[in-house]
Amino acid sequence: MDDGSPAAGEGHFQGYKGGAAGKDRCQDALQSGRFKWKTKPEPFGMEFPEDSYLQEWEEFERDIHEGLWGQIAAAKFRPLEPNDGDEVEFAEFSFLGADVRCERFLKVDQAARKPFATSQLLARTKAKLEEFNSSNPCPPDRAIQYTMAEIYLEEYRKKSGKGKEPQADSEWVPTKHYAQALDRLYGMGQQGWLQVASRYDQVSGTTAAQTGDHDPRSLTHFVKEVSNRWSRWMYLFEDADHRYLSKANEYLASTPGLLRIVPESPIYIALDKKNKLLIYLDPEAVQRTFDETIKAQMESDTEALYALKPPAKQANARTLSQNQNEERNGFKKDQCGVDILGHWHEQGKPHRPMIETSNSHLPSTLKQLLLYYLESTGGTLTRLLDFQFGYLEPELREEYRQVYRDSPKFAKLPATNGPRHEETYCLRANLINMSTDEHWDRYDWKGGLTGLVQLGDFRGPGIVFKQLGIILKGYQSGASMQFRGTIFKHYIANWEGKSRYAFNHTTHETVRRAVQGRQKEIHNRGVGLPPQQEEDDDEDATGGEEGPEKDLKRKRPAEPDDDDHADLYEATPPSSPKGSKKVKAQRSTAATGDQTSQNDANAKQQPKGHTKTEGQPKATATRTSPRQKKRSAVPKR
């Protein structure tokens, strides 16, 4: 069976699905002009005179924007009965020829540091899982602590054998070791959990004098260290047991009466208590904005593209349910994956230059086919989301566009929203037949809007927002959605079918801050975050929306915001560069070109009695190697 991997001696065909035969198919597709559209459609088929095209579009979007928010302001909201009436009220009206259901969540403030601090909707949802929890026990904390101590001890022994002496706090990565401990415990079964927990009880109740073990790096030592830190670490482990979480969320979405089902057919709008947008869902956006023919063409192109190249593999905590998805729908491994396309920062390095994502680093033929696809199908999807963004929050869309304009040219893929319209998003992810567990888009533009579109032949899914206690079953094939991805945890309920293609559009927060912080330099070279912002921004720079998540070290865990908005989960800042204060000061001075500040800094370093000369070059320290020292000690003849 041809699994898409190159046979022996076919290394130069790597990247093509099917090896040499796959390369031939790609060349045939390229010569035939596959994925190239003669024209790209505009929303609702609208066309304007060429000399005033953009101006007319802006006025059209402005009229829709004013009409929508005018109707929301004039709508008569009434409490949602019989449940959640104390927190939710709703109104109904028509917009763009479609019915609209608009809900206002009275105890949610999307701009607050703790958006759900006073809401009880999540607590009510979790309370409905009591029956599930009673039949699906989790490893006890004592067993987890003991297993984590064993893992720490194993790592210490490996490193000490190499002559290294690890420092306790700096070597401990709680979230990583917590996940490793769960892996071991789930492999034991419940009887094993009890045995490990009893060992914890024996060790934690003894002292070094009683055991005769005075080694500060013994198992007893590590058990007590973990136990002492447990209360500070607990918030890091909130929803970290992905095995339990995946099963609990599946139960929650599939059991009637646990989540409130929002009506499927109307356009759905969710607002916070200040009438700020939380969610906008159009269940038939593609068909309504374009037509069924365009939708079928985009689905056909997507299927054809990923028949020529396999999507990139993504393995992280958010795709644990993928094995169930493949088994349920009969997918092969090369039929599932995520292509992340655009530009971002390398993981964990927000202060470094932006780069083009590696998923677009393809052989020339495949790369050209991908660009054709992004210009046609991808461009049409982008245009849909860009259009919606324009009448929902035009000022915010302009900020997104400005960031794309000022991003370094060498890192950007060609624009897809053109040729007449500006590009809005810096990053897009194509999820091909994927199933993800609950997550939030922690690396996206904070307070921004994430744009989603779904295509394919599938049935049964819905997107769940537990913090609001709802499931949106209108999120079907042809649907589009705009929502606050950095605020809401969300997941896709189980689905069945032949194919599901989800297209996520966003811009990373680190890209936004890098561009807005150094707009003068951005045109000349790729830049990262300004030095003065690195410590604050490293938290959100460790991965892409669908990329692998990286455990980072934390010397002292910060206090959590709350259970619903704990953005610090696995987002611990990496250590700053050596000599961070001095290095950052010099880099900041060099970046701004402030020669006066630099001269002042040099003057402070001069010894007493030294007279500074105008324009005197800065003295630079040189490092002398041992060999040079030895030579300098030899007297000259």
Side-chain angles (χ1 to χ4, degrees):
M1 181 180 295
D2 183 7
D3 60 358
S5 59
E10 293 187 345
H12 56 294
F13 299 121
Q14 203 162 9
Y16 295 96
K17 195 170 184 178
K23 183 175 182 179
D24 292 339
R25 290 195 298 270
C26 287
Q27 290 175 340
D28 293 341
L30 186 62
Q31 292 175 0
S32 66
R34 189 72 168 93
F35 309 120
K36 290 190 70 174
W37 293 9
K38 293 182 179 179
T39 59
K40 282 196 300 185
E42 286 282 16
F44 301 108
M46 298 293 292
E47 290 292 341
F48 299 104
E50 195 66 32
D51 57 348
S52 60
Y53 198 84
L54 292 180
Q55 180 180 354
E56 295 281 357
W57 263 111
E58 290 175 0
E59 292 179 1
F60 179 56
E61 290 175 350
R62 189 182 305 115
D63 291 342
I64 297 177
H65 169 77
E66 293 173 354
L68 172 62
W69 292 100
Q71 286 185 281
I72 291 175
K76 295 182 179 180
F77 286 83
R78 54 188 185 275
L80 184 68
E81 299 293 348
N83 300 319
D84 301 329
D86 59 328
E87 290 204 28
V88 188
E89 57 185 14
F90 75 101
E92 295 175 337
F93 52 87
S94 295
F95 171 67
L96 293 178
D99 294 334
V100 175
R101 180 183 179 88
C102 184
E103 295 185 348
R104 182 187 290 138
F105 291 83
L106 304 176
K107 295 185 180 180
V108 177
D109 183 359
Q110 65 95 11
R113 184 169 178 267
K114 299 179 180 181
F116 308 96
T118 60
S119 174
Q120 294 299 312
L121 294 177
L122 179 61
R124 295 172 188 174
T125 301
K126 288 183 175 180
K128 297 175 183 178
L129 289 172
E130 291 182 0
E131 182 178 348
F132 173 84
N133 293 335
S134 62
S135 57
N136 292 271
C138 300
D141 286 352
R142 294 173 300 149
I144 297 174
Q145 292 179 43
Y146 186 88
T147 308
M148 288 178 69
E150 287 183 321
I151 293 171
Y152 289 137
L153 180 59
E154 291 170 7
E155 292 189 357
Y156 165 73
R157 288 173 175 170
K158 288 179 182 178
K159 293 183 178 180
S160 60
K162 299 178 181 178
K164 296 181 180 180
E165 181 68 18
Q167 299 296 321
D169 287 344
S170 64
E171 292 297 322
W172 291 357
V173 187
T175 49
K176 181 186 77 172
H177 294 113
Y178 182 85
Q180 292 175 348
L182 288 177
D183 288 340
R184 294 189 184 184
L185 291 170
Y186 275 111
M188 298 178 184
Q190 295 186 35
Q191 191 63 34
W193 302 348
L194 298 177
Q195 295 175 0
V196 175
S198 65
R199 293 178 203 156
Y200 171 87
D201 295 336
Q202 295 172 2
V203 172
S204 62
T206 61
T207 63
Q210 292 173 329
T211 60
D213 185 359
H214 298 280
D215 183 1
R217 296 296 179 180
S218 65
L219 180 60
T220 302
H221 168 81
F222 277 106
V223 169
K224 292 185 177 180
E225 290 295 325
V226 173
S227 178
N228 291 338
R229 289 166 170 76
W230 191 254
S231 60
R232 286 187 289 156
W233 287 349
M234 285 188 65
Y235 82 93
L236 293 170
F237 307 146
E238 177 73 18
D239 294 337
D241 187 349
H242 295 284
R243 292 171 183 80
Y244 163 80
L245 190 63
S246 179
K247 293 180 181 179
N249 286 338
E250 182 179 353
Y251 174 82
L252 195 64
S254 60
T255 305
L258 300 187
L259 292 169
R260 180 167 62 87
I261 300 176
V262 174
E264 297 182 29
S265 57
I267 293 175
Y268 177 73
I269 300 175
L271 307 172
D272 72 355
K273 64 181 183 181
K274 297 180 180 178
N275 268 8
K276 298 297 183 181
L277 183 69
L278 297 174
I279 302 170
Y280 178 90
L281 170 64
D282 186 342
E284 298 181 349
V286 177
Q287 304 93 306
R288 195 193 320 275
T289 309
F290 303 114
D291 56 41
E292 289 284 356
T293 304
I294 297 297
K295 177 176 179 292
Q297 181 64 46
M298 290 192 291
E299 290 172 340
S300 174
D301 281 2
T302 304
E303 181 180 1
L305 176 68
Y306 288 102
L308 296 174
K309 68 171 293 295
K313 293 298 178 185
Q314 299 291 337
N316 57 40
R318 287 174 15 198
T319 57
L320 290 177
S321 60
Q322 182 60 25
N323 290 335
Q324 301 174 1
N325 174 48
E326 293 173 359
E327 180 180 350
R328 180 171 56 251
N329 293 304
F331 292 126
K332 299 177 182 178
K333 294 293 183 181
D334 62 357
Q335 293 177 302
C336 306
V338 182
D339 275 351
I340 303 175
L341 307 167
H343 62 278
W344 60 3
H345 284 106
E346 189 177 356
Q347 292 183 18
K349 299 179 181 179
H351 52 284
R352 297 295 301 276
M354 296 178 215
I355 58 173
E356 179 184 328
T357 59
S358 60
N359 292 162
S360 57
H361 296 171
L362 299 169
S364 58
T365 304
L366 266 181
K367 180 66 171 284
Q368 190 59 54
L369 288 174
L370 176 65
L371 294 178
Y372 285 160
Y373 172 84
L374 290 177
E375 183 181 1
S376 55
T377 293
T380 305
L381 294 172
T382 301
R383 182 71 191 106
L384 167 61
L385 294 172
D386 174 74
F387 173 65
Q388 290 180 343
F389 207 157
Y391 64 71
L392 290 173
E393 295 196 7
E395 295 84 2
L396 182 59
R397 184 185 68 170
E398 179 55 31
E399 290 187 44
Y400 272 65
R401 287 182 169 184
Q402 188 64 47
V403 167
Y404 182 87
R405 284 186 215 118
D406 291 339
S407 292
K409 293 182 179 180
F410 68 81
K412 294 189 289 190
L413 285 172
T416 63
N417 199 32
R420 293 170 170 174
H421 302 279
E422 290 192 71
E423 195 76 359
T424 300
Y425 304 99
C426 294
L427 196 68
R428 56 186 51 79
N430 297 352
L431 283 75
I432 309 302
N433 300 322
M434 289 294 290
S435 180
T436 59
D437 289 316
E438 186 177 28
H439 64 280
W440 62 77
D441 304 326
R442 71 188 68 185
Y443 308 115
D444 289 359
W445 185 305
K446 288 194 177 299
L449 288 175
T450 300
L452 310 177
V453 183
Q454 278 198 133
L455 298 173
D457 181 5
F458 58 88
R459 61 189 178 279
I463 186 166
V464 176
F465 295 95
K466 286 199 303 188
Q467 290 152 311
L468 301 181
I470 61 175
I471 179 171
L472 303 179
K473 291 195 172 183
Y475 188 51
Q476 299 285 336
S477 181
S480 73
M481 184 165 64
Q482 308 267 357
F483 76 111
R484 310 286 179 185
T486 57
I487 294 177
F488 287 111
K489 289 183 178 180
H490 54 280
Y491 67 94
I492 303 297
N494 288 336
W495 57 274
E496 295 180 356
K498 298 179 180 179
S499 60
R500 174 179 172 266
Y501 312 127
F503 305 89
N504 299 4
H505 293 65
T506 187
T507 293
H508 272 189
E509 173 71 4
T510 58
V511 172
R512 177 186 75 84
R513 294 193 183 186
V515 171
Q516 293 180 348
R518 290 185 177 176
Q519 290 183 356
K520 292 182 180 180
E521 293 182 310
I522 206 71
H523 296 286
N524 300 322
R525 62 185 179 87
V527 297
L529 293 174
Q532 65 270 22
Q533 294 184 2
E534 288 175 13
E535 292 183 346
D536 296 334
D537 300 326
D538 279 352
E539 281 189 353
D540 299 301
T542 57
E545 195 270 328
E546 297 295 337
E549 297 176 4
K550 181 179 180 182
D551 285 294
L552 301 175
K553 300 174 184 177
R554 178 191 290 277
K555 291 187 177 181
R556 184 182 63 202
E559 294 299 322
D561 287 350
D562 56 33
D563 290 342
D564 304 339
H565 193 54
D567 283 17
L568 297 176
Y569 167 61
E570 288 194 343
T572 56
S575 58
S576 57
K578 294 181 179 180
S580 58
K581 292 184 179 180
K582 187 173 181 179
V583 171
K584 289 178 181 178
Q586 292 176 352
R587 286 165 55 190
S588 179
T589 303
T592 57
D594 190 350
Q595 188 62 38
T596 303
S597 300
Q598 186 64 46
N599 291 338
D600 291 343
N602 294 339
K604 292 180 181 179
Q605 297 177 0
Q606 299 294 345
K608 293 182 179 180
H610 179 82
T611 303
K612 179 177 175 295
T613 305
E614 184 68 24
Q616 179 178 353
K618 178 182 176 182
T620 57
T622 59
R623 180 177 296 178
T624 306
S625 67
R627 180 174 295 180
Q628 290 172 328
K629 289 181 180 179
K630 186 175 181 181
R631 288 178 178 175
S632 62
V634 178
K636 295 182 180 180
R637 292 183 180 180

